[in-house]
Amino acid sequence: MGNDRAWMGLGLLVGLALAPRSAEARVYPIPILADTEDDLRLLIEDGVLDPDDFETLLELLSNPVDLNRANKNQVYDLPGVSLKLAGAIVDDRRANGPFASQADLARVPGVTDEIVAQARLFAYAEPRPDKPRLEDLRTNLKMRGSYFIQDRSTFSASQTSSNSTEELGYGRLPQSYVATRVEHPWGFEAGFVGLQREAVVRAAYSPADQAIYADWGYPALQLGRLWGSVERGRYSAIAGHYTAGFGLGITFDSTNRTRPQGWYPDMAVNTDIEDGDFRLRQALVGVSGRVEDVPLGSLLLESTAFVSSRTPDVYQYHMAVTGDEAFDPDSPDLSSPRVFIDGYKAAYITIPNAYRENLVGLNTELSARGSTRFGLTGWMGFYDKTALDGTPDNEEWYVRQRVADDNQFGAFGAYAGHSVGGFDFTGEYARSLSGGNAVQLMALYDDGPAEIELSARHFDTTYDNPHARGIAAADVYRGFRDRDEQGLRLRTEIKPTKIFKTRWMVDAWKNLSTDRANLEVFGRVQLDPQKWLMLAAMADHRNRDLANNGRTRIYGGDYADQFADAGDFDEDVTVITDDTNIVDGAGSRNYWALQTRFSLIPATQLELFYRRVYEDAGLVYPQGGEICEPGFQIGTASWAKVRVKPTDSTTLTVRWRYWDDDVHGSKGDRFTDGYLQAQQKINKTWSATLRGGLLFDLVDLPAEWADACKLVGRPDLEAACGVTVDTDTALSAAKKKPEALILATVEARFR
């Protein structure tokens, strides 16, 4: 069940990522009323929060917006804040002075209690002293630990087949990290993240075997982040780990910001709420300097230069061995390197420091009166795969995900924007060094009750820019989202009254190489008839054509591979290879959900959620009595959460969930899980959170119709109608001990 749920989580994230990246208008699909990062991640699993929105919120959680220093674009990332309201917040600060606290936001017209509540985790306000002293140093400290408890009595290592880390006996021990950030009003900041975890600590490639030999380590002490920055007037610089982005992000953007401009420190640490593992995203490593607000007549100039040399980690199945031959990215026959740990063949392994990426870039922007801006961005880089010990040259193996086709790569582009009244127009053009073009246009209208965004995009099939993060669907082409795509998207949020709001999104796009169209439609309606009551309904339709967006778009392969991947069958499925009617057009995923939140008892809040999913996953079911045809796989999920504040300093939260991927069959998973969380503010400096969760596998017997296709003379469909879980395996779930995860967090703010 552990591995099945890991694949379920990966598949769910990939599926949810089909929602385009919110790269401009910050209209989150739901109100963000979360207490912790873990609450945000549960919203992803429930299917109501886009993974890219989560990444933005996680970045804000680790690097909160300073309301007394942020510009309009930075404030715009906050939940519930429109572009017009972000401008009003900045204007109010300039007119009335700094905010005394985060709650002081309420003085700005248009900022509601809900907006203040949503911004609680993602923003802060602390006025700087007029005459800073040495002792005015501010320090934020966060320590977090996890312990995953799992029944491993059925796990054993094999000498003849691949083994997961659980089967090899790893992943049993606690993990932890510490993150600290110091700031002084003189303009100095520094940050550090250190991790202690189980992981591969050394790896070497063997050209003769086309395999990787690795060592497992615990504790694998990892320097996750280390950076320092200085800001003096209009000049600022950072050294160490950082991110950077510009314009609409199609030329260069390594951030998760809505409207990036320049460099940003990066302190975000991802926590996997399934097994408690801690992960870091791939940041830039080097130096960056910025000069801003340089007067040039009636214009203001801002310029940022950046240099990076980093060694990313790579998932083993994203590597393709070429054997020192010319790489053909369209070849489906390239295999991933085998990985051996302690003499055993291992699977699902992330290889640390797999290659080196060196790059250098420059951005320059001119702005006029805050309403018009024009910018140029250019950068170039090269790969060095010999950074992995034993790799003889750059042609020995290739990375399939977000790595350019050539070892030398880069892009250059231009963007422009203009604001007038309630309208904001932005556009960007970029060209990769390989010759591919990209264009993104954006129009945003905000009149208070309504915010409407209309965007268009075009990415050539040859646009291989690994640092592009524009609006794009997740149907990757050669590992890139911002490639091989044309699309048009409309997003809107309308609040005609104080008690009613609705959000809608329509996105239509096609893939240039296959000329196939895709569509997503999302809608949410929310009613707040009383302060203590919220009612909401939402629905989503996503066309995920398997023949267009399935395995061939990532790994290469044929229709049989796609069908096997879509249906979660074994790799040796060979039926229906030529029956493309089953695969073409499949992949539609539809859901509707209901949500309510109410507080009838003081200091107590209850939230209920129910979702029904209809997914055309290429499965075959009995239809109409005597023939098996493609049908929807129906899934369901529901949960209840109670939040209680017995005192001003104590918060208790209980959440319980039921999940079934296939109500009428036995595909996917069926389980129930929940957690109890206690948050305690010890004093003005210290706070602690303890969270304990349990997961129970549920019996999921084979469907009654499992052998139906054999009875109607369709032997070609027998494998599809068969089940992947036999009765004995399903019943064993009832005897399996529950899995448990304990998370403990301690935070402190020293002022």
Side-chain angles (χ1 to χ4, degrees), residues 597-608:
R597 184 173 60 247
F598 52 91
S599 180
L600 295 174
I601 304 174
T604 302
Q605 185 181 85
L606 174 64
E607 190 168 354
L608 303 174

Side-chain angles (χ1 to χ4, degrees), residues 460-511:
D460 279 350
T461 303
T462 54
Y463 187 67
D464 61 338
N465 181 353
H467 289 285
R469 286 186 62 87
I471 290 176
D475 45 356
V476 297
Y477 180 84
R478 297 184 186 173
F480 292 85
R481 289 172 57 176
D482 311 72
R483 188 171 181 178
D484 187 50
E485 181 177 302
Q486 285 181 341
L488 187 68
R489 188 184 75 174
L490 174 68
R491 286 170 55 125
T492 181
E493 180 178 46
I494 303 174
K495 297 178 285 187
T497 69
K498 291 183 178 181
I499 67 170
F500 177 80
K501 68 177 67 173
T502 180
R503 296 179 173 94
W504 296 90
M505 188 274 292
V506 179
D507 189 74
W509 72 97
K510 75 171 184 177
N511 299 93

Side-chain angles (χ1 to χ4, degrees), residues 40-61:
L40 294 177
R41 191 171 292 279
L42 285 170
L43 295 178
I44 291 183
E45 286 196 7
D46 294 333
V48 295
L49 183 64
D50 185 284
D52 291 310
D53 288 334
F54 168 79
E55 293 296 338
T56 298
L57 293 169
L58 179 61
E59 181 162 327
L60 295 178
L61 191 66

Side-chain angles (χ1 to χ4, degrees), residues 514 516 544-550 552-553 559 562 580 583-586:
T514 57
R516 291 183 181 271
R544 301 187 302 173
D545 190 314
L546 297 183
N548 190 38
N549 307 328
T552 59
R553 311 312 303 154
Y559 281 126
Q562 296 172 36
T580 57
V583 178
D584 289 355

Side-chain angles (χ1 to χ4, degrees), residues 436-586:
N437 299 296
V439 178
Q440 188 166 299
L441 304 174
M442 181 79 61
L444 177 66
Y445 174 68
D446 182 4
D447 71 345
E451 185 176 48
I452 302 172
E453 172 214 284
L454 179 64
S455 63
R457 61 190 185 270
H458 170 90
F459 302 105
D460 279 350
T461 303
T462 54
Y463 187 67
D464 61 338
N465 181 353
H467 289 285
R469 286 186 62 87
I471 290 176
D475 45 356
V476 297
Y477 180 84
R478 297 184 186 173
F480 292 85
R481 289 172 57 176
D482 311 72
R483 188 171 181 178
D484 187 50
E485 181 177 302
Q486 285 181 341
L488 187 68
R489 188 184 75 174
L490 174 68
R491 286 170 55 125
T492 181
E493 180 178 46
I494 303 174
K495 297 178 285 187
T497 69
K498 291 183 178 181
I499 67 170
F500 177 80
K501 68 177 67 173
T502 180
R503 296 179 173 94
W504 296 90
M505 188 274 292
V506 179
D507 189 74
W509 72 97
K510 75 171 184 177
N511 299 93
L512 303 178
S513 60
T514 57
D515 198 31
R516 291 183 181 271
N518 302 269
L519 176 69
E520 178 179 5
V521 180
F522 171 83
R524 175 186 167 91
V525 176
Q526 180 176 324
L527 188 66
D528 301 289
Q530 300 290 334
K531 276 192 172 183
W532 53 269
L533 178 63
M534 183 276 287
L535 303 169
M538 66 197 81
D540 184 84
H541 164 78
R542 297 175 187 173
N543 173 22
R544 301 187 302 173
D545 190 314
L546 297 183
N548 190 38
N549 307 328
R551 175 167 290 196
T552 59
R553 311 312 303 154
I554 305 176
Y555 300 108
D558 56 21
Y559 281 126
D561 290 331
Q562 296 172 36
F563 190 86
D565 187 57
D568 197 22
F569 298 119
D570 292 334
E571 293 292 332
D572 60 355
V573 173
T574 57
V575 299
I576 320 180
T577 302
D578 299 320
D579 194 350
T580 57
N581 289 330
I582 291 179
V583 178
D584 289 355

Side-chain angles (χ1 to χ4, degrees), residues 6-18 41-47 51 542 544 589 611 657 659 661:
W7 281 107
M8 176 204 72
L10 177 61
L12 178 62
L13 289 178
V14 171
L16 289 174
L18 286 170
R41 191 171 292 279
L42 285 170
L43 295 178
I44 291 183
E45 286 196 7
D46 294 333
R542 297 175 187 173
R544 301 187 302 173
R589 183 180 186 274
R611 185 190 67 183
R657 176 177 61 170
W659 184 290
D661 282 324

